[in-house]
Amino acid sequence: MEQFKKYKRQYFMPPTECMDWAKKDHVEKAPIWCSVDLRDGNQALIVPMTLQQKISFFKLLVKVGFKEIEVGFPAASETEYQFLRALIEQDLIPDDVTIQVLTQAREHIIKKTFEALKGAKKAVVHVYNSTSLAQREQVFHKSKEEILQIAVDGAALLKKLADETEGNFSFEYSPESFTGTEMEYALEVCNAVLDVWQPTADNKVIINLPSTVQHSMPHVYASQIEYMSKNMKYRENVVLSLHPHNDRGSGVSDAEMGILAGADRIEGTLFGNGERTGNVDIVTLAMNMYSQGVDPELDFTNMPEICEEYEKYTGMSIDMRSPYSGALVFAAFSGSHQDAIAKGMKYREENNCEHWTVPYLPIDPTDIGRHYEADVIRINSQSGKGGVGYILEQYYGLNLPPKMREAMGYATKAVSDEQHKELLPDEIFELFKTRYEDITTPFSIAEVHFKQHNGIIAEVTVNYQGETKVAVASGNGRLNAVSNALKKQFRLQYDLVVYQEHALEASSSSRAIAYVGIKDKDGKLHWGAGLDQDIIRSFRVQ
């Protein structure tokens, strides 16, 4: 990377220190949300959405709970224009939803925008012009005064046309490329626009401060926002909005810190779609609030369905590691992680916990339509006894003894490693049955009879290497008597160290499973399991 010297910092710090936001540690309430999926997000697609796809997407956004939706740039293309007309003429806009349209601060574009809005009950008209040093010098070749005049003229025309057009219109202004603009100048332009609009408590306006291109770390953006919020005219009648992009990968943190710095409103997209590296991801931003006990006022309780619809309409794919929404974001393959999650879930159940504190899971996956069995504990060669045990218990009701769980964990890891793949729950269960359940070699016990005389006497009929033998011995219980009979008949040396049993279903007629662990003369543990309708008969020494 030898060319690093060609770059320099392109942002401008406020003229005074603005760090009050740093004294706060969390977002206290949800901002006003505005989805720009249908405009900013759509223009970034390789193949923009069709009219019907945009209508379907609009309905999805309404269902999620957005009350402000930027529907397009109606003067930019016929499709954008027709979409806006379809929403109005087909009466698709709920009474509690406000549409927003975008326009450059150019007279003919503003006029066409108001033509497209005819018949709309209410709308936000969002006007912008670029104010950054780079744009002034390289693109427009205009002075600060000339750029400011473009903004003022655009604001005045919006006010004039709104008065002449039937409908309830409110205004929004963006100094595009705000983050590359000198802060004193950005403030001067915004205040000049506000002087034109003269906002009141009953007629508030929106000032939107976009990080059109991210130039700085999030704390710099927060300081810029705080400076604007503290020094803006008519502040009590201004809705201060942010439109963070993600060039440096910090769109979410820009938005969060910007809210701490005084922002009231966020413009963004589902899953962060947008030009270049995208817009702020509203799903992540909202779910971050949710994970700390703040109502995001958006409904993501069926995240899989939202993901499916989003991918269908946009042709985009949600990354498997995308926060909260990705296919693998709750998945634990690591053995230590699986063990901690399984123990955390058990602790939560046993202690009837009010708050969610399960290790490695920032939220309860079921809150957004995900499932523990399919989405959380995933088994591969990195997994351990906790995950394997959790799968067998949750899916099949098997509560293996700790040491047997460990042995099953190693067996599962070995198979996954050999096959180079993740093992699904039914494959794990088949491995358990093949390895431990009702094994009939080298010994197959055909029948057992018990008599009570100075303890228990067991008469065991055993098939061994094609021959049938009858072994008899006594013990202090049925299992001990059977074990002693086998040891005596076949001169076996082992110790019976574990016996555990439980019902597989919660009823008197349920099947039962018994687990047996024996230690051979070399100290190695061997395991077996037996199932039966009778919990007394379910133990079978394997």
Side-chain angles (χ1 to χ4, degrees):
M1 302 297 289
E2 297 177 357
Q3 304 304 316
F4 67 94
K5 290 186 178 179
K6 73 163 63 171
Y7 301 101
K8 69 173 186 176
R9 292 180 292 278
Q10 297 186 59
Y11 59 85
F12 297 88
M13 291 296 291
T16 58
E17 184 179 273
C18 294
M19 292 290 291
D20 288 351
W21 62 267
K23 300 172 186 175
K24 306 172 186 177
D25 66 358
H26 67 283
V27 175
E28 294 182 347
K29 66 175 184 177
I32 299 167
W33 300 107
C34 178
S35 162
V36 295
D37 289 270
L38 297 170
R39 198 275 307 170
D40 202 345
N42 184 61
Q43 77 177 23
L45 298 177
I46 297 172
V47 180
M49 287 180 277
T50 64
L51 177 61
Q52 187 54 53
Q53 285 174 326
K54 292 185 82 170
I55 290 173
S56 297
F57 203 151
F58 179 82
K59 292 178 179 179
L60 172 63
L61 294 170
V62 170
K63 184 179 178 181
V64 167
F66 286 97
K67 301 304 179 185
E68 296 186 10
I69 302 172
E70 189 168 85
V71 296
F73 195 145
S77 73
E78 187 62 21
T79 302
E80 299 272 288
Y81 185 92
Q82 290 302 326
F83 173 53
L84 175 56
R85 294 311 308 160
L87 292 176
I88 295 170
E89 293 168 5
Q90 296 178 34
D91 196 22
L92 298 175
I93 307 167
D95 291 341
D96 63 345
V97 172
T98 301
I99 58 169
Q100 178 172 302
V101 293
L102 185 68
T103 176
Q104 292 175 328
R106 299 170 65 185
E107 182 176 354
H108 71 285
I109 295 177
I110 293 173
K111 286 182 176 179
K112 186 168 183 180
T113 300
F114 274 92
E115 290 175 12
L117 283 168
K118 287 180 180 177
K121 297 174 185 176
K122 57 182 177 179
V124 173
V125 183
H126 179 185
V127 64
Y128 73 93
N129 69 306
S130 193
T131 60
S132 70
L133 175 62
Q135 294 261 21
R136 295 196 314 264
E137 289 183 343
Q138 301 172 37
V139 180
F140 300 110
H141 308 292
K142 292 184 182 295
S143 66
K144 285 182 176 180
E145 293 74 22
E146 290 172 309
I147 293 294
L148 183 147
Q149 195 60 49
I150 291 172
V152 168
D153 290 345
L157 185 56
L158 252 65
K159 188 174 182 180
K160 176 179 181 294
L161 293 177
D163 290 339
E164 297 172 355
T165 307
E166 184 179 353
N168 182 14
F169 301 107
S170 54
F171 306 136
E172 175 176 349
Y173 172 69
S174 288
E176 193 204 4
S177 58
F178 164 76
T179 48
T181 304
E182 306 90 332
M183 288 298 103
E184 302 96 319
Y185 178 60
L187 180 65
E188 181 184 357
V189 174
C190 289
N191 280 338
V193 169
L194 289 169
D195 281 336
V196 173
W197 286 341
Q198 298 284 314
T200 65
D202 296 328
N203 189 25
K204 293 186 177 183
V205 301
I206 302 167
I207 294 293
N208 185 57
L209 303 176
S211 64
T212 309
V213 178
Q214 279 186 331
H215 290 307
S216 68
M217 289 188 281
H219 76 283
V220 172
Y221 187 55
S223 295
Q224 293 170 334
I225 300 307
E226 184 173 311
Y227 171 75
M228 296 293 287
S229 180
K230 285 181 174 179
N231 294 282
M232 193 174 293
K233 290 184 176 181
Y234 314 95
R235 181 63 183 92
E236 69 278 8
N237 299 323
V238 171
V239 176
L240 186 57
S241 177
L242 307 183
H243 185 116
H245 278 228
N246 201 42
D247 300 272
R248 290 170 57 94
S250 56
V252 169
S253 49
D254 272 3
E256 289 177 326
M257 292 186 184
I259 293 171
L260 298 184
D264 310 301
R265 182 178 184 267
I266 296 292
E267 294 186 348
T269 59
L270 296 181
F271 312 112
N273 180 39
E275 293 207 270
R276 305 185 310 279
T277 54
N279 293 284
V280 64
D281 178 353
I282 287 183
V283 172
T284 299
L285 190 55
M287 292 305 301
N288 282 356
M289 298 174 194
Y290 181 82
S291 72
Q292 294 189 337
V294 176
D295 182 0
E297 299 178 13
L298 294 174
D299 184 0
F300 295 115
T301 52
N302 195 344
M303 189 73 78
E305 181 181 284
I306 294 169
C307 294
E308 182 181 353
E309 289 195 51
Y310 168 84
E311 292 185 335
K312 180 171 65 175
Y313 303 144
T314 64
M316 302 285 286
S317 296
I318 296 170
D319 190 272
M320 288 189 292
R321 299 293 182 188
S322 182
Y324 302 103
S325 57
L328 294 179
V329 296
F330 297 111
F333 291 103
S334 161
S336 61
H337 289 205
Q338 292 175 347
D339 188 55
I341 290 171
K343 288 175 179 175
M345 293 295 293
K346 187 174 183 180
Y347 176 88
R348 178 175 175 79
E349 181 179 339
E350 291 174 347
N351 292 275
N352 194 27
C353 298
E354 178 184 359
H355 295 106
W356 181 264
T357 58
V358 175
Y360 298 112
L361 294 178
I363 67 165
D364 184 346
T366 63
D367 289 353
I368 56 173
R370 304 289 289 273
H371 305 284
Y372 300 121
E373 294 84 356
D375 294 313
V376 178
I377 304 297
R378 305 276 293 270
I379 305 301
N380 64 12
S381 60
Q382 305 302 308
S383 305
K385 60 183 180 181
V388 172
Y390 182 85
I391 290 291
L392 290 173
E393 184 170 359
Q394 294 298 314
Y395 272 74
Y396 308 105
L398 304 180
N399 186 11
L400 276 60
K403 288 293 185 181
M404 187 180 191
R405 184 175 293 198
E406 183 177 318
M408 182 62 193
Y410 283 121
T412 305
K413 283 164 62 96
V415 172
S416 176
D417 196 27
E418 181 182 349
Q419 298 182 3
H420 298 288
K421 70 168 192 172
E422 175 185 359
L423 295 185
L424 299 176
D426 60 343
E427 294 175 299
I428 297 168
F429 186 48
E430 284 301 317
L431 177 61
F432 172 81
K433 291 194 293 184
T434 300
R435 194 174 185 89
Y436 299 116
E437 187 183 308
D438 293 339
I439 305 300
T440 57
T441 58
F443 302 101
S444 176
I445 298 175
E447 55 183 286
V448 181
H449 299 283
F450 297 103
K451 291 189 294 185
Q452 192 158 352
H453 180 71
N454 295 327
I456 299 292
I457 298 175
E459 183 179 287
V460 186
T461 303
V462 186
N463 294 319
Y464 176 65
Q465 294 183 345
E467 296 184 26
T468 299
K469 305 280 187 179
V470 178
V472 180
S474 62
N476 56 18
R478 291 188 175 190
L479 182 60
N480 183 247
V482 171
S483 177
N484 289 340
L486 293 173
K487 285 181 176 181
K488 178 181 177 181
Q489 178 69 38
F490 299 103
R491 297 184 174 84
L492 300 176
Q493 297 182 46
Y494 66 84
D495 293 318
L496 180 61
V497 293
V498 177
Y499 172 72
Q500 182 176 309
E501 63 183 25
H502 63 81
L504 286 176
E505 296 90 19
S507 72
S508 59
S509 61
S510 66
R511 293 186 307 159
I513 186 167
Y515 312 100
V516 174
I518 61 173
K519 185 179 289 186
D520 64 23
K521 62 181 180 180
D522 297 320
K524 184 179 179 181
L525 269 172
H526 303 267
W527 294 95
L531 280 83
D532 200 279
Q533 293 297 123
D534 184 347
I535 199 163
I536 300 300
R537 293 196 317 231
S538 63
F539 64 84
R540 299 175 185 175
V541 181
Q542 311 304 330

